[in-house]
């Protein structure tokens, strides 16, 4: 069904860790909007558990999604491999912390050493002051996205 939906400049995230038995190649072929393929591990708030996270990401990259969302814990060499073997895929480097509100600058300082088109930080927000801090931080870092 997703393949027949188009909403102007919309982008659809396909959470591979949340779906089973989906023909991703067919979905990609028929999509009317850019797709983000995401395989989120349990440690980052997703459902994927296993030791083959990097291997699976490389398999999904073979399908040439528009974006591939990778966790901030991947080795830098893995990012370089993705860039070399799939130069057209745009990378989203993601950090998730649903237990506390981290120092955004400290998180970003670590992440920016990994080449990516978008840096995504998803955090737990407990107050309007934290929400305002996110807005101010995003204004200073336009290539980043913070979700609270």
């Amino acid at each position: 069904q997703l393949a027949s939906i188009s909403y102007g400049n919309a982008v659809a995230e396909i959470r591979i860790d949340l779906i089973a038995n989906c023909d991703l190649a067919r979905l990609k072929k028929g999509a009317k909007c850019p797709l983000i393929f995401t395989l989120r591990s349990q440690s980052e708030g997703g459902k994927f558990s296993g030791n083959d996270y990097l291997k699976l990401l490389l398999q999904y990259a073979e399908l040439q999604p528009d974006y591939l969302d990778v966790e901030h814990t991947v080795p830098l060499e893995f990012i370089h491999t993705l860039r070399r073997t799939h130069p057209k895929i745009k990378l989203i480097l993601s950090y998730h912390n649903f237990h506390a509100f981290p120092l955004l600058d400290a998180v970003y300082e670590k992440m920016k050493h990994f080449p990516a088109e978008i840096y995504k930080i998803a955090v737990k927000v407990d107050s309007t002051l934290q929400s305002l801090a996110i807005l101010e931080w995003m204004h200073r870092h336009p290539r980043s996205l913070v979700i609270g």
Side-chain angles (χ1 to χ4, degrees):
Q1 277 182 319
L2 179 66
S4 65
I5 299 172
S6 178
Y7 294 103
N9 292 329
V11 176
E13 180 178 25
I14 309 302
R15 283 289 304 271
I16 300 166
D17 58 302
L18 299 178
I19 57 176
N21 303 321
C22 178
D23 186 344
L24 293 173
R26 184 171 162 226
L27 182 68
K28 168 71 173 111
K29 184 177 180 181
K32 304 267 191 257
C33 65
L35 297 180
I36 302 170
F37 282 5
T38 301
L39 179 65
R40 187 72 58 232
S41 70
Q42 288 180 339
S43 64
E44 290 285 315
K47 298 291 183 193
F48 176 76
S49 63
N51 298 326
D52 48 356
Y53 177 79
L54 299 178
K55 179 182 172 185
L56 288 172
L57 282 180
L58 286 174
Q59 288 177 4
Y60 298 136
E62 290 296 322
L63 299 173
Q64 293 295 313
D66 302 282
Y67 296 87
L68 188 63
D69 187 319
V70 298
E71 297 175 357
H72 70 103
T73 56
V74 300
L76 181 58
E77 183 53 40
F78 179 78
I79 299 289
H80 291 308
T81 298
L82 276 175
R83 290 279 195 210
R84 187 174 53 254
T85 57
H86 305 287
K88 293 183 179 182
I89 297 175
K90 297 174 187 77
L91 295 180
I92 300 171
L93 190 68
S94 292
Y95 166 92
H96 301 83
N97 184 340
F98 301 117
H99 305 289
F101 190 83
L103 296 172
L104 298 176
D105 284 328
V107 171
Y108 181 67
E109 282 301 313
K110 291 178 184 175
M111 292 176 75
K112 74 178 187 179
H113 296 291
F114 290 70
E117 279 69 33
I118 299 171
Y119 298 95
K120 182 181 90 176
I121 302 172
V123 298
K124 178 182 180 185
V125 174
D126 292 317
S127 71
T128 54
L129 287 177
Q130 290 175 340
S131 296
L132 289 171
I134 288 173
L135 291 173
E136 186 275 329
W137 191 89
M138 287 177 56
H139 179 72
R140 290 187 290 118
H141 299 43
R143 285 185 45 215
S144 301
L145 171 66
V146 180
I147 301 168

